[in-house]
């Protein structure tokens, strides 16, 4: 049982750190704010959630301590990180940050013009 | 084996935080920097979890929740500041 739980913890830890590296790579490489926000808010969230799950499994199986705070932390991050990404992306659009020059269409532009008329 | 994997993933998280700090310094617009700071806060949560596993203590688990809440509130406040120009509106004539 401990061997299986150890393997589970190892897999979750490696997956989480890999996803966190992917998020950082996306933040460096992608061309504009919205794509960078896409990379950061999704992969960083999933990576941190899997690392927290690994911590929960560690404290549960190896220390024998059921920690509800980590579960609350997982739920809280799962709820709030996409909301924060959405808010900052909307603030970026409304404060006039340009899209990437190769992006094809901008649907919100027409909505904005309609609202102003 | 578990300790080695924890150290490896600590190194990975440190490298990704270095990348985020690069975006925080260089980022051409303000929302870029806010996104990078938000991701740094979320990475700090993971680092705290791994360090509390390495130290074999469950005393730091409150800090995880606290860091999550603080990162969210900071990002929301900054988004509202960027959009409306002030964070708490005191205008009573609306």
């Amino acid at each position: 049982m401990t061997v299986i739980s150890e393997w589970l913890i190892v897999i979750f830890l490696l997956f989480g750190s890999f996803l966190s590296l992917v998020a950082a790579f996306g933040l460096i490489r992608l061309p504009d704010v919205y794509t960078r926000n896409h990379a950061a808010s999704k992969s960083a969230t999933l990576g941190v959630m899997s690392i927290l799950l690994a911590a929960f499994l560690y404290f549960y199986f190896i220390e024998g301590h059921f920690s509800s705070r980590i579960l609350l932390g997982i739920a809280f991050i799962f709820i709030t990180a996409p909301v924060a990404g959405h808010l900052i992306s909307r603030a970026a659009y409304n404060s006039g940050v340009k899209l990437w020059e190769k992006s094809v269409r901008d649907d919100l532009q027409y909505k904005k013009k309609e609202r102003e008329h | 084996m578990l300790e080695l994997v924890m150290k490896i993933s600590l190194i990975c998280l440190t490298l990704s935080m270095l990348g985020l700090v690069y975006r925080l310094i260089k980022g051409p617009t303000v929302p870029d920097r806010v996104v990078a700071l938000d991701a740094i806060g979320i990475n700090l949560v993971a680092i705290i979890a791994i360090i509390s596993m390495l130290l074999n203590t469950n005393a730091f688990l409150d800090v995880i929740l606290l860091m999550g809440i603080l990162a969210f509130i900071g990002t929301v406040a900054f988004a509202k500041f960027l959009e409306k120009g002030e964070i708490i509106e005191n205008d009573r004539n609306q």
Side-chain angles (χ1 to χ4, degrees), chain A residues 1 6 8 28 30 32 49 56 66 70 79 96 102 113:
Chain A
M1 192 61 201
E6 234 174 66
L8 265 182
I28 293 174
L30 287 174
D32 71 347
M49 277 168 60
F56 174 74
F66 184 88
I70 295 186
I79 294 171
K102 284 186 195 165
K113 272 179 193 163

Side-chain angles (χ1 to χ4, degrees), chain A residues 27 36 58 63 69 94, chain B residues 16 23 32 42 56 62 83:
Chain A
L27 239 74
R36 274 180 221 137
Y58 179 82
E63 308 262 307
R69 286 173 287 183
N94 284 343
Chain B
S16 87
R23 180 51 68 195
D32 263 322
I42 285 189
N56 254 331
D62 290 326
E83 208 167 335

Side-chain angles (χ1 to χ4, degrees), chain A residues 104-116:
Chain A
V104 186
R105 56 187 286 180
D106 180 9
D107 281 341
L108 265 180
Q109 201 179 7
Y110 305 114
K111 287 275 178 193
K112 213 175 181 182
K113 272 179 193 163
E114 275 174 22
R115 228 183 300 151
E116 278 164 5

Side-chain angles (χ1 to χ4, degrees), chain A:
Chain A
M1 192 61 201
T2 35
V3 178
I4 299 173
S5 58
E6 234 174 66
W7 274 105
L8 265 182
I9 294 166
V10 163
I11 287 170
F12 276 124
L13 272 177
L14 288 181
F15 182 64
S17 50
F18 170 72
L19 273 184
S20 166
L21 274 182
V22 166
F25 197 71
L27 239 74
I28 293 174
R29 290 278 298 166
L30 287 174
D32 71 347
V33 183
Y34 309 102
T35 48
R36 274 180 221 137
N37 194 1
H38 171 81
S41 66
K42 284 174 185 62
S43 48
T45 307
L46 189 59
V48 168
M49 277 168 60
S50 84
I51 285 181
L52 286 183
L53 195 60
F56 174 74
L57 290 176
Y58 179 82
F59 283 114
Y60 187 57
F61 283 121
I62 294 178
E63 308 262 307
H65 169 257
F66 184 88
S67 135
S68 53
R69 286 173 287 183
I70 295 186
L71 284 185
L72 259 183
I74 293 174
F76 190 81
I77 285 178
F78 182 64
I79 294 171
T80 58
V83 176
H86 165 77
L87 280 178
I88 195 63
S89 185
R90 201 183 63 174
Y93 190 86
N94 284 343
S95 63
V97 178
K98 292 273 182 295
L99 270 70
W100 188 29
E101 70 262 19
K102 284 186 195 165
S103 39
V104 186
R105 56 187 286 180
D106 180 9
D107 281 341
L108 265 180
Q109 201 179 7
Y110 305 114
K111 287 275 178 193
K112 213 175 181 182
K113 272 179 193 163
E114 275 174 22
R115 228 183 300 151
E116 278 164 5
H117 280 294

